[in-house]
Amino acid sequence: ELKVEQNPLFLSMQEGKNYTIYCNYSTTSDRLYWYRQDPGKSLESLFVLLSNGAVKQEGRLMASLDTKARLSTLHITAAVHDLSATYFCAVDFGNEKLTFGTGTRLTIIP
Amino acid sequence: NAGVTQTPKFQVLKTGQSMTLQCAQDMNHNSMYWYRQDPGMGLRLIYYSASEGTTDKGEVPNGYNVSRLNKREFSLRLESAAPSQTSVYFCASSEGRRSSYEQYFGPGTRLTVT
């Protein structure tokens, strides 16, 4: 079965702290995507990871992909309030579509 | 470029009524998708179209039909709406080639069935 699991599902963290969101998937893939969704809004693309060892960074967010471990991480550095959102990872299993994780709802507390 | 557009933005239906949600993209993408998102939930794929002229069922196709009208447009039809279909519906598109299945999402349609 093709599965994508994210943890944690909910994360409440203080401003200025660091944290990591994990995305595990069930079978071979070397293509993974991260999205952000603000409350009441649509999904916007954050990162595209297309090979083992890929690392992408934008601002306080950094995403990486380890295809051997079937794991991607989204690392948040020195969190600020405007990073509060729900984050989804999605995996291309080669079946013409993406399989999405359940999402991680991140709340940054002042 | 407008990207992915959806109409309507909001809709209220009574049980048993029918309606069509419209989606269009101007990025010359091959693949298009329909998802639903229930409160506090992730995305569930309803139907997708890997290329013009083809459509396939996703995870939750029951109660829905789709039409890939041309390369730009992909519509979702509810023939007889039920309260369980109250949800936010997102359309998305991607190039669909092996190089990248990165999906671009429309703004969503909020549907309430009473």
Side-chain angles (χ1 to χ4, degrees), chain B residues 10-59:
Chain B
F10 301 92
Q11 184 71 50
V12 179
L13 290 178
K14 294 189 173 162
T15 298
Q17 288 185 318
S18 62
M19 78 163 293
T20 300
L21 282 65
Q22 306 286 354
C23 174
Q25 51 90 11
D26 62 2
M27 295 175 281
N28 199 35
H29 283 171
N30 293 302
S31 300
M32 298 185 74
Y33 312 83
W34 277 106
Y35 295 92
R36 63 177 287 174
Q37 185 177 38
D38 299 312
M41 303 277 289
L43 296 170
R44 291 188 290 172
L45 182 64
I46 304 171
Y47 271 94
Y48 68 103
S49 171
S51 61
E52 187 179 356
T54 68
T55 60
D56 285 286
K57 294 178 180 179
E59 183 186 352

Side-chain angles (χ1 to χ4, degrees), chain A residues 31 33 35 37 40 42 45 92, chain B residues 37 98-99 101-103 106:
Chain A
R31 297 166 190 275
Y33 307 82
Y35 290 85
Q37 184 179 34
S42 185
S45 180
D92 174 5
Chain B
Q37 185 177 38
R98 194 64 186 105
S99 59
Y101 275 90
E102 180 182 12
Q103 292 185 10

